[in-house]
Amino acid sequence: MSKSTGTVLVTGGTTGLGYECALSIAQQCPHYQILIASRSNKDNAAVSINQITDHSNVEYLKLDLSSLAKVRSFAAEYAEKDYPPIKALVLNAGLQIHELDYTEDNIESTFAINHVGHALLFYLMSPYLAEEARIVITASGTHDEAQKTGLPKAIYKSAEELAHPTEETEKYAGTQRYATSKLCNIMWTYALQRRLERSPDKRWTANAFDPGLMPGTGLARAWPAILRFIWHHIMPRMIWLLRILISPNIYSPKESGVSLARLAVGDDVKGVSGKYYEGQKQIPSSKDSEVVGKQEDLWDWTVQRVAKDEKERRQFESI
């Protein structure tokens, strides 16, 4: 194979949606180096994709988004490699936790993994982005009460309250914290887009993506055993029925993976930025997600929390 002309980095790329997205990109773009980053790789995902495509351009890298120190270690190790510029950064990994839990950084785990770790990863990887690059963030329709997904309403008062729940908010269900973290994904995308508009020298785009409900993915790995069984073994066989009974926004990981890959490398969405997609369709996100004050609170808190010093804070803010 000829030398790679660009890099695509997909977090959570070893299973489910991320795996299918990476596979689709590998099939379309054999000239790209594709890195699938996740905290585990028990099924040898990169080997699997390379065997399917008969290429050798997919590589696994270990990444633990629950630890800011480990995200920094990932970035430091990346800097030592000679990968070509990043053409697409797909911030896809996510987790839904039923019980209230905190990371080693004393940040509520759902918020930490679904938002904070990804934001730090973006800031640290930004020097390696190509002049023309795409940032795609996997969000969820659960952020929008109007979509009637069955999850509790996403509630955003401040980033600080999400990171360190109060006596009242620590009683919220894990599904509520998940929905709110997905709201944060979209708000952060819009805040990033505003900054990209101020930097015409950067030809970067940023979009958020709702893959729909995807039975069988790793989202449920922290659920109770009986719910994991239903999720992995019963619901994937009933997608056609679930679309009729519940919502048309229900897909297999492969279907949604193709849609996510489109935002990362598809020619028909080149140059599109600051948008929210449900599968293949561009749709409005929730009214709460469009509140600029909330977007800026999230952005400012995140930069302050993850920057190691004043120099780095200024660097992150200048993106």
Side-chain angles (χ1 to χ4, degrees):
M1 187 182 70
S2 60
K3 184 176 176 61
S4 298
T5 60
T7 298
V8 175
L9 175 59
V10 182
T11 69
T14 58
T15 62
L17 174 65
Y19 174 89
E20 296 295 347
C21 172
L23 172 59
S24 180
I25 294 173
Q27 291 170 327
Q28 298 176 65
C29 306
H31 54 290
Y32 281 172
Q33 171 72 60
I34 300 166
L35 305 175
I36 51 177
S38 184
R39 64 179 180 178
S40 64
N41 185 34
K42 62 181 181 179
D43 295 324
N44 294 316
V47 173
S48 170
I49 294 174
N50 285 331
Q51 288 176 341
I52 292 171
T53 61
D54 197 26
H55 296 302
S56 58
N57 60 324
V58 181
E59 179 182 348
Y60 165 72
L61 299 178
K62 186 175 180 60
L63 170 64
D64 185 348
L65 290 162
S66 71
S67 164
L68 298 181
K70 290 177 181 176
V71 173
R72 288 186 176 278
S73 294
F74 174 90
E77 292 172 8
Y78 186 95
E80 295 176 355
K81 304 291 181 66
D82 189 27
Y83 296 120
I86 297 172
K87 294 286 191 177
L89 181 60
V90 184
L91 305 177
N92 164 75
L95 182 66
Q96 186 178 130
I97 303 172
H98 275 250
E99 302 299 327
L100 181 64
D101 189 34
Y102 292 86
T103 66
E104 62 185 42
D105 301 297
N106 191 35
I107 301 174
E108 190 280 315
S109 293
T110 305
F111 183 60
I113 295 168
N114 294 359
H115 167 66
V116 182
H118 271 135
L120 176 59
L121 179 67
F122 165 76
Y123 298 138
L124 296 176
M125 301 308 291
S126 60
Y128 309 105
L129 292 179
E131 290 184 6
E132 187 173 312
R134 304 184 194 187
I135 302 97
V136 186
I137 299 92
T138 297
S140 170
T142 60
H143 86 281
D144 188 356
E145 184 182 28
Q147 292 197 31
K148 296 180 172 58
T149 63
L151 265 66
K153 175 180 171 59
I155 301 174
Y156 187 97
K157 295 180 180 177
S158 71
E160 173 60 26
E161 185 178 75
L162 295 181
H164 307 109
T166 63
E167 184 176 350
E168 175 188 354
T169 61
E170 68 181 8
K171 299 175 184 177
Y172 287 171
T175 49
Q176 195 280 333
R177 288 190 289 273
Y178 174 79
T180 303
S181 74
K182 297 289 100 179
L183 172 63
C184 290
N185 291 152
I186 301 168
M187 290 164 49
W188 186 84
T189 301
Y190 294 160
L192 173 58
Q193 168 62 19
R194 203 157 37 249
R195 284 154 177 82
L196 295 180
E197 290 173 350
R198 300 170 191 162
S199 303
D201 57 314
K202 289 189 177 77
R203 289 181 295 161
W204 298 351
T205 62
N207 293 293
F209 171 72
D210 169 25
L213 183 67
M214 295 177 296
T217 61
L219 178 68
R221 61 182 177 269
W223 292 8
I226 184 62
L227 295 181
R228 290 201 308 272
F229 178 84
I230 294 171
W231 178 257
H232 286 293
H233 300 287
I234 297 177
M235 291 179 66
R237 295 181 172 89
M238 301 173 58
I239 288 178
W240 65 273
L241 182 59
L242 295 174
R243 284 174 177 163
I244 295 172
L245 297 178
I246 300 176
S247 167
N249 191 27
I250 301 175
Y251 301 98
S252 69
K254 183 174 184 62
E255 291 171 321
S256 291
V258 169
S259 295
L260 179 57
R262 171 186 174 233
L263 291 179
V265 299
D267 289 337
D268 65 317
V269 291
K270 182 178 180 180
V272 177
S273 190
K275 305 301 180 182
Y276 173 66
Y277 283 82
E278 178 186 277
Q280 297 276 328
K281 300 179 298 181
Q282 185 186 125
I283 67 169
S285 57
S286 71
K287 292 182 179 179
D288 282 349
S289 69
E290 297 177 347
V291 178
V292 173
K294 293 181 178 181
Q295 298 166 9
E296 291 301 303
D297 173 81
L298 177 65
W299 183 276
D300 293 343
W301 181 93
T302 304
V303 169
Q304 291 286 350
R305 179 62 184 83
V306 303
K308 65 182 179 182
D309 53 33
E310 184 63 20
K311 178 181 178 181
E312 196 173 73
R313 184 187 65 78
R314 290 195 299 270
Q315 175 189 334
F316 292 172
E317 285 183 340
S318 67
I319 290 174

